[in-house]
Amino acid sequence: MNFFSASKVFVEPKELTANLSDLKISGTILTPSSGKQYHNERLGFNRDLNANPSAIALVESEQDIVNVIKFAKTNDLNLSIYGGGHSVYCSAPDTLCLNLTRMKKIEVDVGNQTVTIQGGVKLGELD
């Protein structure tokens, strides 16, 4: 498994050689053939980037994250991660994009003065 390198920026998506039906998540898996939803998700924060990941896994739980990482490793896929903010390289082709934008849980522990925040939370949602 390789993580996408900032030194590469591609435009055209590449079809994954792995069988996405083997990837089990409670969220949604999108490919270029998914149409408008794929298009909207691939744009992310930076609308100037016009790259397309091979697939986007819209994860909803920690177990989904584990399953996506294991799937990428097992199938020797490049993995990019989109956390909902300025994740510039999330839309690189030839990658399976782990999209955290649906994971927005915020837990405040007043007694211990700590906050636990999932990866899809944006700064404006914390205020």
Side-chain angles (χ1 to χ4, degrees):
M1 171 176 61
N2 299 308
F3 285 90
F4 178 69
S5 166
S7 65
K8 300 178 187 176
V9 178
F10 301 92
V11 175
E12 293 298 320
K14 296 181 181 177
E15 190 171 331
L16 292 178
T17 56
N19 187 351
L20 287 172
S21 64
D22 293 338
L23 176 54
K24 305 299 182 203
I25 62 171
S26 58
T28 305
I29 301 168
L30 302 172
T31 64
S33 64
S34 299
K36 188 174 182 176
Q37 187 179 7
Y38 168 85
H39 175 72
N40 290 337
E41 293 295 340
R42 77 170 178 87
L43 291 174
F45 176 82
N46 188 345
R47 302 288 184 180
D48 291 333
L49 287 177
N50 190 26
N52 304 295
S54 299
I56 301 169
L58 296 165
V59 297
E60 296 179 351
S61 69
E62 290 84 0
Q63 188 59 55
D64 281 356
I65 295 170
V66 170
N67 292 349
V68 169
I69 292 171
K70 284 182 178 178
F71 181 82
K73 183 174 182 175
T74 299
N75 292 283
D76 196 31
L77 300 175
N78 292 323
L79 182 65
S80 63
I81 300 171
Y82 181 61
H86 297 271
S87 301
V88 177
Y89 303 107
C90 66
S91 57
D94 196 26
T95 63
L96 171 57
C97 177
L98 181 101
N99 183 311
L100 301 169
T101 58
R102 293 185 176 181
M103 297 187 66
K104 297 185 172 284
K105 187 175 180 182
I106 301 171
E107 293 179 353
V108 178
D109 183 338
V110 177
N112 289 318
Q113 296 183 339
T114 61
V115 178
T116 303
I117 306 163
Q118 288 186 324
V121 175
K122 295 179 184 175
L123 181 59
E125 296 166 329
L126 253 186
D127 289 341

